[in-house]
Amino acid sequence: MTGMLPYGRHSVTEDDIAAVADVLRGDWLTTGPQVDAFEADLAGWTGGAGCAAVSNGTAALHVAYAAAGVGPGDEVIVPPMTFVATASSAVALGAKIVFADVEEDTFTLDPAAAAAATTSRTRVVSAVDYAGHPADYDALRTALGGHDALLLADAAHSIGASYKGRPVGSLADLTTLSFFPTKNLTTAEGGAVVTPHPELLKRARRFRTIGLVRERDEQRWPDEGGWHQEVHEFGLNYRLPDVLCALGRSQLRRLDDFLARRARLVARYDEALADLPGVRLPGRRAWARPAWHLYPIRVLDGRRREVYDRMRAAGIGVQVNYIPVHWHPAFADLGYRRGSCPVAESFYSQQLSLPLYPGLSDTDQDRVIDALATALRAGSVRSAAA
């Protein structure tokens, strides 16, 4: 019996293990030189924008919203086609979430919907680079018009992607990254906040370090002694340790290879599935170079659940990404209702993520393709017999 193929998995080499082991043999396990070095390495992928490494992707969102000054009375615009943390981390700071629908082809935030949702209370507009395809950032900037809201890119799926030739990380006021094992590179758990604005970067770094102020020229009581540090605004401990930063640095050296392999696998899926009845392939814009974290197909004719079950039974670990955020009971209990974002909701009813990760062999990908064709054919035969 062939084992279950996951929809995503990490790729760890002996070089990665050696990088971690070197740190374990050294003097710094956390808040040491590997953190600064990892942040500098990340900046090489973000157009030079400053980076603050944090403990995970959800922490990155929480830190970014805190750096933006999000609090009670503020509104944060979020597309529903994302992981719940894009919204819940802003709720944790007291914000009201305003959901705005997505575009039909990329399922990223619709600039027109964002414009319609923006008010004088909007503090942040959060775009999500769904599946690794960048949102339309120039159109979103235009949509903000004269409002002073900040634009945030939830780029958990898209490190290494580019928009009109510009790298993800340089496109928004704040960008958040995730380094979970299924992402395009991993630190086991980890994330980062990226921003070209020095003051936002300073606020992010303070929030991820419990709000501590160590600079004497900014302290209220700077003459207490060399040990002295103060908290002016509350933060949390969201630091990413040196051990994991060393893993991230080693992974970054292979990110080009990871992205290239994902692109080749996407091209093979595109070719093999182009004429398969009953599915629609992911869209992309000419100006985008996606990072392809996911390969999200649409299963038509109300057959997504059936195809999911058949492929899982065949050992193919397909996944659904994601339930619309406003459908979660936590948001339903706050009064959010189904039907408010019809494009995202229609997409959810059809969406299915096929396995996609650098270690996926051509042979295993062919197994995925055959299982999908078989699942679709089996249902069609049954319908014809009925």
Side-chain angles (χ1 to χ4, degrees):
M1 175 68 178
T2 306
M4 174 73 77
L5 285 178
Y7 90 95
R9 83 181 305 271
H10 57 276
S11 175
V12 171
T13 67
E14 290 300 319
D15 287 342
D16 295 332
I17 294 169
V20 171
D22 285 346
V23 174
L24 290 172
R25 296 186 185 100
D27 295 328
W28 292 89
L29 295 185
T30 191
T31 62
Q34 289 293 327
V35 180
D36 292 340
F38 182 47
E39 291 174 346
D41 290 351
L42 281 172
W45 287 88
T46 63
C51 303
V54 296
S55 53
N56 56 64
T58 300
L61 287 159
H62 196 192
V63 169
Y65 287 136
V70 169
D74 291 330
E75 294 178 350
V76 174
I77 295 173
V78 174
M81 192 44 53
T82 183
F83 187 59
V84 66
T86 311
S88 61
S89 52
V91 174
L93 290 165
K96 175 185 176 182
I97 301 301
V98 179
F99 290 104
D101 214 345
V102 296
E103 298 197 87
E104 181 66 42
D105 54 347
T106 64
F107 306 102
T108 57
L109 181 61
D110 183 343
T118 301
T119 73
S120 60
R121 295 183 297 279
T122 303
R123 173 72 69 166
V124 175
V125 175
S126 296
V128 175
D129 293 347
Y130 180 77
H133 190 294
D136 191 346
Y137 287 97
D138 287 349
L140 287 167
R141 286 284 188 197
T142 301
L144 290 179
H147 295 277
D148 59 1
L150 296 178
L151 181 59
L152 182 146
D154 181 341
H157 294 181
S158 62
I159 185 171
S162 62
Y163 168 85
K164 299 182 180 179
R166 290 135 54 196
V168 164
S170 67
L171 307 170
D173 297 302
L174 289 154
T175 300
T176 60
L177 305 174
S178 172
F179 309 129
F180 188 72
T182 58
K183 297 301 195 300
N184 294 349
L185 71 108
T186 189
T187 57
E189 289 278 6
V193 177
V194 181
T195 177
H197 304 298
E199 184 59 30
L200 290 177
L201 182 63
K202 182 178 181 179
R203 288 177 58 82
R205 286 178 169 166
R206 277 192 181 167
F207 190 87
R208 63 114 187 245
T209 315
I210 319 169
L212 293 173
V213 177
R214 296 188 172 97
E215 299 89 349
R216 292 192 64 191
D217 61 344
E218 297 185 34
Q219 292 176 347
R220 295 185 189 177
W221 298 287
D223 298 326
E224 287 291 310
W227 65 85
H228 186 60
Q229 49 193 356
E230 302 173 349
V231 172
H232 297 180
E233 295 181 275
F234 294 120
L236 294 168
N237 180 359
Y238 280 151
R239 295 176 297 219
L240 188 66
D242 279 56
V243 175
L244 300 186
C245 286
L247 175 57
R249 295 187 70 199
S250 181
Q251 290 261 308
L252 271 176
R253 288 192 279 273
R254 303 204 311 283
L255 182 55
D256 269 328
D257 293 337
F258 290 159
L259 296 171
R261 178 58 182 164
R262 287 176 178 273
R264 286 195 297 271
L265 289 166
V266 166
R268 292 188 87 248
Y269 273 139
D270 286 347
E271 182 178 5
L273 304 178
D275 299 320
L276 184 64
V279 300
R280 188 176 301 167
L281 306 189
R284 69 210 67 173
R285 299 286 182 87
W287 40 252
R289 190 188 71 173
W292 292 119
H293 167 60
L294 301 174
Y295 189 81
I297 65 169
R298 301 174 72 171
V299 181
L300 308 180
D301 305 317
R303 299 185 59 199
R304 193 270 306 277
R305 174 67 178 269
E306 170 200 340
V307 171
Y308 173 94
D309 289 342
R310 288 182 183 277
M311 294 189 73
R312 282 269 174 166
I316 308 299
V318 290
Q319 186 58 281
V320 173
N321 304 98
Y322 303 93
I323 180 173
V325 177
H326 61 295
W327 285 20
H328 283 285
F331 282 98
D333 291 347
L334 293 173
Y336 295 89
R337 293 291 175 258
R338 299 188 181 202
S340 60
C341 294
V343 178
E345 293 174 36
S346 174
F347 177 58
Y348 164 70
S349 72
Q350 299 173 330
Q351 196 276 335
L352 193 69
S353 296
L354 302 185
L356 183 68
Y357 50 92
L360 183 68
S361 68
D362 289 358
T363 299
D364 281 340
Q365 187 181 31
D366 290 340
R367 181 181 155 205
V368 176
I369 293 163
D370 290 344
L372 176 60
T374 299
L376 289 165
R377 188 165 53 246
S380 298
V381 170
R382 185 183 64 188
S383 297

